[in-house]
């Protein structure tokens, strides 16, 4: 029994507790929160199929932010002198509505934009997409998942007809014979996931890791391939080349279940292992060993994560690994397949219900007339009134304040000043806005630039659902109510929508279409148009998603609670859910999976005499994303106090840099300064920095804003730099 529970028993009061999930990453570890008698909140892991009773340090300390002194408890409005000052909710919301109307009157509806996040619950992500289309009537909404999942999402859609990160439960990892991890470091990014890998190896399975660094994950592997960043596509094509020459292809599966293999066969014929060794640095023997380990195993899983995906060729790179998986006959077979490790807490659900520029709920396309008619029906508006597609996240942020770009932005759940590529440029775009609104519970670096900051509830104060990396819909449960002065995101959206709905005497400006209010205030239904109760929002989301690719119609909160979550698609409340996809067919028009012939191309920015080194970025265990949250947790700050630049001792010696020396990493776009961390585990031609810190150590001052042409994913994982002692 815990101290809190014991104390509660002594006083005869039951401890207040909630079974919920960690607020941070997509593993969504199960945890129990308890209100102890001395006013603390205790976090305990609980058994859940993904975390199996484990938590990482971030999960253990997640409750530290609930009563943190930095917590926002009142709206802030920028005064004429430029200072953010506490204000009433009424004053803050009036300022926002005035600002939005002024901008839309002068520049049209699309002059207002919304930026969301993959950490928002399904209910909030859904409400945000609806708010943009129905209350603001703008086409401009996108979100940070564009920087995270978009390459794998696009490749999955074009191959399988559906984008569900893992098309099988995570527990399959423990039961597969060969597991290939490409550009994933779960030992730091999802530590409890390693329990499944330990099980896999204990059963005699083989683990192969592809990473330019010998990471904590790669250390546990039977084989570590250490390619030059940006060469994963060539490596995948070489693996398929070997599989073909060694007769490892599953011909029956290819014939019966796929289409388009011939073009792929011709393309990979050019990818001779010896040439790919020259390009990537991965020895021929390792390419052969990997192809054999995959092609001769009884079962095999190939997983990609951000290392392979965050490139201007991220979609094609994922397609190359999907091709390999299909040629080996893996998708749909027991304990086999291709998957991508989704990152943010609701990275999966957040990309299904309408935060994406081209999307309506249920993973519907916003330019599909049938989808528009269905969703407009649920929303009670005319389909013709729904805006068309907007533009992907970076393009959106880069257009802010420019003559054709939006002049007002509302941010819910992201901190692009730290996390956007080429961040200095994004920062200057944000500064050029007429109105910047940020809803957050902390003063993030982006909130610091805002005209209005709105204090919102944290995870332990709200109910809702999250969809984890397996496509499993989970319940987030509130332990307590938000502190006085704090509102939920749903409440904020509802209040703003109601204020925008109120008649505006001045008609909206050029190119704006019909006048605000959006869709006209419908007598009697205004209070329900943006419900604030997440259960009611979820019921509406179910209807809006019904019949879509990501169909939640059969998912109810009760059903989630009675099992360990519900896997989508789940169209029928009385029918089965879908833990495993593709056993018999693929949701493509022909029922077959589609190969895509793809070719290697160099990084968008090659190294040269002035910028001779490859720069790549990523994560450390104790910090999360832009760090707004984890940099404020004492234990995590002690574990990872500041940014650093990881470089090989041989390179350091050439540069005259010692361990701990301050170094400058410069690219054509900007520079970062941080202490050097020497490590023989990284390639000598590559330097690495985590992206969790703002200011001088900001990795994204350096990164390249080259984008994948299909997904809009920025090239976070490779650019050319010069390194010198600062
Ligand atoms: N501690 C912690 N955990 C997190 C997060 C966090 O911020 N902190 N964020 C969550 C989110 S949103 C995400 S998206 C996931 C990300 O999870 P991961 O994808 O595991 O994380 P990264 O560290 O970004 O990248 C993984 C690895 O890619 C390698 N890499 C770099 N360039 C290349 C390349 O060109 N090819 C290959 N093959 N590998 C390369 C890096 O060395 C790194 O070890 O983590 C989630 N979990
Ligand atoms: N160089 C480099 N840059 C990267 C990456 C990389 O690997 N390298 N990875 C990219 C990836 S994969 C990702 S996912 C992005 C993430 O980068 P960001 O989008 O900046 O993500 P977070 O730091 O999680 O920002 C979330 C913000 O929203 C707040 N917040 C959290 N929950 C809620 C909520 O429910 N409501 C509201 N209103 N606010 C909330 C938090 O306090 C925080 O300020 O970074 C990307 N940037
Ligand atoms: S692995 Fe992810 S979900 Fe689990 S405790 Fe750590 S941050 Fe939270
Ligand atoms: Mo992410």
């Amino acid at each position: 029994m815990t101290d809190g529970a014991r104390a509660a028993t002594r006083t005869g009061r039951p401890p207040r507790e909630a079974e919920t999930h960690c607020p941070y990453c997509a593993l969504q570890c199960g945890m129990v929160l308890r209100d102890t008698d001395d006013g603390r909140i205790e976090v305990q892991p609980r058994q859940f199929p993904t975390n199996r009773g484990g938590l990482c340090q971030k999960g253990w300390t997640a409750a530290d932010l609930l009563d943190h002194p930095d917590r926002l408890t009142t709206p802030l409005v920028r005064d004429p002198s430029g200072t953010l000052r506490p204000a009433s909710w009424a004053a803050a919301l009036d300022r926002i509505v005035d600002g939005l109307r002024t901008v839309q009157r002068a520049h049209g509806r699309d002059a207002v934009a919304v930026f969301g996040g993959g950490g928002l619950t399904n209910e909030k992500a859904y409400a945000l997409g609806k708010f943009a289309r129905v209350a603001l009537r703008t086409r401009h909404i996108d979100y940070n998942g564009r920087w995270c999942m978009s390459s794998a999402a696009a490749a999955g859609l074009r191959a399988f007809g559906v984008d569900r990160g893992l098309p099988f439960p995570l527990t399959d990892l423990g039961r597969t014979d060969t597991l290939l991890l490409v550009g994933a470091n779960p030992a730091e990014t999802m530590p409890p996931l390693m329990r499944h890998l330990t099980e896999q190896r204990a059963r005699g399975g083989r683990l192969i890791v592809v990473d330019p660094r010998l990471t904590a994950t790669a250390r546990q592997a039977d084989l570590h391939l250490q390619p030059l960043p940006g060469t994963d596509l060539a490596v995948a094509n070489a693996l398929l080349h070997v599989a073909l020459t060694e007769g490892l292809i599953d011909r029956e599966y290819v014939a019966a279940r796929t289409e388009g293999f011939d073009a792929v066969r011709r393309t990979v014929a050019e990818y001779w292992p010896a040439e790919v060794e020259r390009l990537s640095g991965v020895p021929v023997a390792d390419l052969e060993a990997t192809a054999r380990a995959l092609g001769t195993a009884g079962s095999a899983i190939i997983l990609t994560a951000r290392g392979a995906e965050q490139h201007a060729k991220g979609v094609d790179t994922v397609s190359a690994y999907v091709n390999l998986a299909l040629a080996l006959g893996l998708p749909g077979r027991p304990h086999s397949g291709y998957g991508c490790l989704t990152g943010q807490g609701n990275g999966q659900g957040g990309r299904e219900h309408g935060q994406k520029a081209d999307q309506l709920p249920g993973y519907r396309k916003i330019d599909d007339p049938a989808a528009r008619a269905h969703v407009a029906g649920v929303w009670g508006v005319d389909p013709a009134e729904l805006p068309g597609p907007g533009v992907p996240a970076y393009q959106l942020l880069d257009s802010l304040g420019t003559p054709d770009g939006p002049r007002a932005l509302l941010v819910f759940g992201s901190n692009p000043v730290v996390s956007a590529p080429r961040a200095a440029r994004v920062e200057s775009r944000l500064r050029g806005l007429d109105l910047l609104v940020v809803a957050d519970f902390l003063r993030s670096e982006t909130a610091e630039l805002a005209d209005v900051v709105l204090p919102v509830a944290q995870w332990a104060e709200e109910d809702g659902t999250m969809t984890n990396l397996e496509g499993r819909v989970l319940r987030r449960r509130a332990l307590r109510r938000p502190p006085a002065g704090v509102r939920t995101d749903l409440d904020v959206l509802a209040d703003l929508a109601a204020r925008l709905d109120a008649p505006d005497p001045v008609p909206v400006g050029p190119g704006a279409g019909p006048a605000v209010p959006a869709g006209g205030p419908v007598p009697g239904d205004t209070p329900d148009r943006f419900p604030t109760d997440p259960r009611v929002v979820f019921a509406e989301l179910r209807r809006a998603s019904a019949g879509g690719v990501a169909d939640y119609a059969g998912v109810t909160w009760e059903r989630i609670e009675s099992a360990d979550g519900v896997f989508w698609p789940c169209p029928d409340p009385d029918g089965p859910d879908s833990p495993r996809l593709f056993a018999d067919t693929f949701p493509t028009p022909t029922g077959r999976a589609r190969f895509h012939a793809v070719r290697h191309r160099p990084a968008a920015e090659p190294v040269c005499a002035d910028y001779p080194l490859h720069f790549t970025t990523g994560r450390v265990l104790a910090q999360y994303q832009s760090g707004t949250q984890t940099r404020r947790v004492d234990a995590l700050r002690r574990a990872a106090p500041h940014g650093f630049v990881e470089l090989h001792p041989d390179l350091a010696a050439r540069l005259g840099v010692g361990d701990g020396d301050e170094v400058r990493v410069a690219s054509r776009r900007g520079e970062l300064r941080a202490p050097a961390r020497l490590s023989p585990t990284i390639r000598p031609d590559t330097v690495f920095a985590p992206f969790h810190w703002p200011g001088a150590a900001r990795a994204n001052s350096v990164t390249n804003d080259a984008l994948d042409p299909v997904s809009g994913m920025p090239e976070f994982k490779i650019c050319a730099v010069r390194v010198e002692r600062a």
Side-chain angles (χ1 to χ4, degrees):
M1 196 190 279
T2 62
D3 290 349
R6 220 175 280 122
T9 316
R10 269 202 308 275
T11 57
R13 269 185 293 120
R16 290 205 300 131
E17 60 175 56
E19 280 198 357
T20 189
H21 297 267
C22 173
Y24 296 117
C25 83
L27 199 58
Q28 285 295 290
C29 295
M31 55 169 60
V32 183
L33 300 180
R34 283 195 193 84
D35 246 337
T36 66
D37 273 3
D38 54 1
R40 287 177 305 116
I41 291 183
E42 185 185 73
V43 175
Q44 285 291 327
R46 67 187 164 94
Q47 284 296 334
F48 197 75
T50 50
N51 61 307
R52 294 185 162 165
L55 288 180
C56 82
Q57 206 182 359
K58 298 187 295 302
W60 281 109
T61 55
D64 287 19
L65 291 174
L66 293 168
D67 297 315
H68 195 282
D70 287 356
R71 172 114 198 231
L72 292 167
T73 52
T74 168
L76 304 172
V77 175
R78 196 167 298 279
D79 72 8
S81 77
T83 311
L84 280 173
R85 291 202 190 283
S88 70
W89 274 96
L93 295 175
D94 280 347
R95 167 82 178 261
I96 295 170
V97 170
D98 277 357
L100 295 174
R101 280 185 165 158
T102 305
V103 162
Q104 285 193 322
R105 243 177 245 145
H107 306 282
R109 295 189 189 285
D110 290 340
V112 169
V114 176
F115 200 80
L120 302 178
T121 59
N122 287 317
E123 291 78 6
K124 296 195 284 189
Y126 168 82
L128 194 65
K130 178 180 172 186
F131 176 80
R133 274 68 174 242
V134 173
L136 296 173
R137 307 257 313 267
T138 177
R139 69 188 180 97
H140 284 308
I141 173 165
D142 212 57
Y143 81 124
N144 67 7
R146 188 68 70 171
W147 300 337
C148 182
M149 304 314 311
S150 63
S151 288
L157 274 176
R158 74 183 185 186
F160 306 123
V162 63
D163 155 34
R164 204 182 86 184
L166 296 185
F168 43 74
L170 195 70
T171 45
D172 280 10
L173 299 188
R175 305 190 151 253
T176 196
D177 292 337
T178 299
L179 176 58
L180 178 67
L181 288 181
V182 191
N185 184 16
E188 296 207 60
T189 54
M190 300 185 179
L193 184 150
M194 298 306 281
R195 296 174 177 215
H196 301 275
L197 273 49
T198 305
E199 179 196 338
Q200 189 242 358
R201 286 188 333 288
R203 286 172 178 268
R206 255 182 299 183
L207 174 66
I208 305 173
V209 171
V210 186
D211 196 304
R213 303 183 302 139
L214 177 64
T215 58
T217 311
R219 263 184 239 281
Q220 304 202 19
D222 300 284
L223 183 58
H224 172 214
L225 315 187
Q226 197 165 12
L228 184 69
T231 61
D232 298 281
L233 195 169
V235 168
N237 278 359
L239 294 175
L240 186 46
H241 179 109
V242 174
L244 269 161
T245 52
E246 302 201 355
L248 302 174
I249 304 303
D250 187 337
R251 288 180 195 286
E252 245 172 72
Y253 180 99
V254 170
R257 306 228 27 210
T258 72
E259 56 200 22
F261 185 53
D262 277 346
V264 170
R265 186 208 312 265
R266 283 195 300 276
T267 310
V268 301
E270 302 158 23
Y271 286 77
W272 294 96
E275 273 177 41
V276 172
E277 172 175 340
R278 262 196 301 284
L279 183 78
S280 67
V282 178
V284 171
D286 288 352
L287 293 169
E288 289 173 349
T290 303
R292 287 175 200 144
L294 289 166
T296 61
S299 56
I301 290 176
I302 300 174
L303 296 181
T304 62
R306 301 310 84 72
E309 298 164 9
Q310 289 174 325
H311 294 269
K313 56 174 175 294
V315 178
D316 283 353
T317 299
V318 174
S319 285
Y321 283 98
V322 170
N323 289 343
L324 179 62
L326 288 173
L328 298 175
L330 304 179
R333 282 232 315 266
H335 312 131
S336 296
Y338 163 80
C340 115
L341 291 172
T342 293
Q344 297 182 82
N346 197 28
Q348 180 68 53
R351 70 188 195 254
E352 299 164 357
H353 299 296
Q355 287 188 86
K356 260 177 161 171
D358 57 351
Q359 191 196 56
L360 289 172
Y363 228 121
R364 289 185 155 90
K365 298 289 287 180
I366 203 167
D367 53 10
D368 168 5
R372 294 170 66 86
H374 173 82
V375 175
V378 175
W379 289 349
V381 297
D382 179 348
E385 287 177 8
L386 292 179
V391 297
Y394 182 76
Q395 273 160 270
L396 174 60
L397 295 185
D398 191 29
S399 72
L400 297 175
T402 63
D404 298 324
R407 312 196 62 84
L409 178 73
L410 295 98
V411 180
F412 283 77
S414 182
N415 184 16
V417 167
V418 178
S419 56
R422 201 174 189 174
R425 180 164 164 141
V426 167
E427 192 177 331
S428 76
R429 296 284 191 242
L430 293 171
R431 288 181 192 279
L433 285 168
D434 296 350
L435 176 72
L436 174 62
V437 178
V438 175
D440 207 310
F441 36 80
L442 294 162
R443 273 173 86 145
S444 71
E445 287 68 22
T446 305
E448 291 296 346
L449 304 185
D451 300 291
V452 183
V453 182
L454 301 175
V456 291
Q458 290 193 46
W459 106 110
E461 300 155 356
E462 62 183 14
D463 284 292
T465 61
M466 305 280 279
T467 305
N468 79 353
L469 77 175
E470 311 165 282
R472 189 198 297 257
V473 189
L474 310 168
R475 270 283 274 116
R476 169 179 282 192
R477 289 188 188 78
L479 174 74
R480 44 151 90 167
R481 299 170 62 79
V486 169
R487 295 193 182 178
T488 66
D489 290 292
L490 288 178
D491 200 19
V492 170
L493 292 174
D495 202 339
L496 280 175
R499 283 164 196 262
L500 287 165
D501 249 0
D504 177 13
V506 189
V508 104
V516 177
V522 181
D525 92 337
T526 315
D528 292 324
R529 192 183 279 277
F530 283 90
T532 56
D533 178 347
R535 198 181 276 269
V536 176
V537 178
F538 190 75
E540 189 184 303
L541 180 160
R542 288 172 57 201
R543 281 186 283 127
S545 77
V549 176
D551 192 329
Y552 281 47
V555 186
T556 63
W557 282 21
E558 293 71 24
R559 186 165 172 183
I560 298 171
E561 281 159 16
S562 69
D564 282 334
V566 179
F567 291 85
W568 71 259
C570 181
D572 179 356
D574 301 315
D577 67 343
S578 313
R580 288 188 181 77
L581 304 177
F582 315 146
D584 308 308
T585 184
F586 295 94
T588 58
T590 58
R592 290 162 177 261
R594 295 172 289 217
F595 281 96
H596 282 85
V598 288
R599 288 196 157 76
H600 169 76
R601 45 188 194 271
E605 185 180 56
V607 291
C608 61
D610 289 338
Y611 301 99
L613 293 166
H614 304 280
F615 178 64
T616 193
T617 61
R619 296 162 163 81
V620 297
L621 198 164
Q623 295 292 346
Y624 189 70
Q625 311 277 63
S626 71
T628 319
Q629 300 169 76
T630 47
R631 281 185 274 114
R632 288 181 163 89
V633 175
D634 287 340
L636 301 178
R637 203 175 41 233
R638 279 196 299 278
H642 50 68
F644 60 87
V645 177
E646 184 177 302
L647 66 171
H648 194 280
D650 293 350
L651 173 63
R654 259 203 295 131
L655 300 170
V657 169
D659 195 41
D661 287 355
E662 181 97 343
V663 292
R664 198 169 83 94
V665 178
S667 75
R668 287 183 178 81
R669 293 155 297 279
E671 63 175 57
L672 80 88
R673 280 160 190 263
R677 187 175 288 181
L678 304 199
S679 169
T681 56
I682 187 167
R683 292 174 56 107
D685 55 6
T686 301
V687 293
F688 167 90
F691 78 100
H692 310 292
W693 286 273
R698 181 171 69 181
N700 278 320
S701 300
V702 175
T703 50
N704 193 353
D705 57 353
L707 303 179
D708 184 290
V710 177
S711 65
M713 170 70 85
E715 191 137 277
F716 285 121
K717 288 293 195 266
I718 185 167
C719 70
V721 296
R722 179 171 65 231
V723 178
E724 54 210 16
R725 254 182 86 158

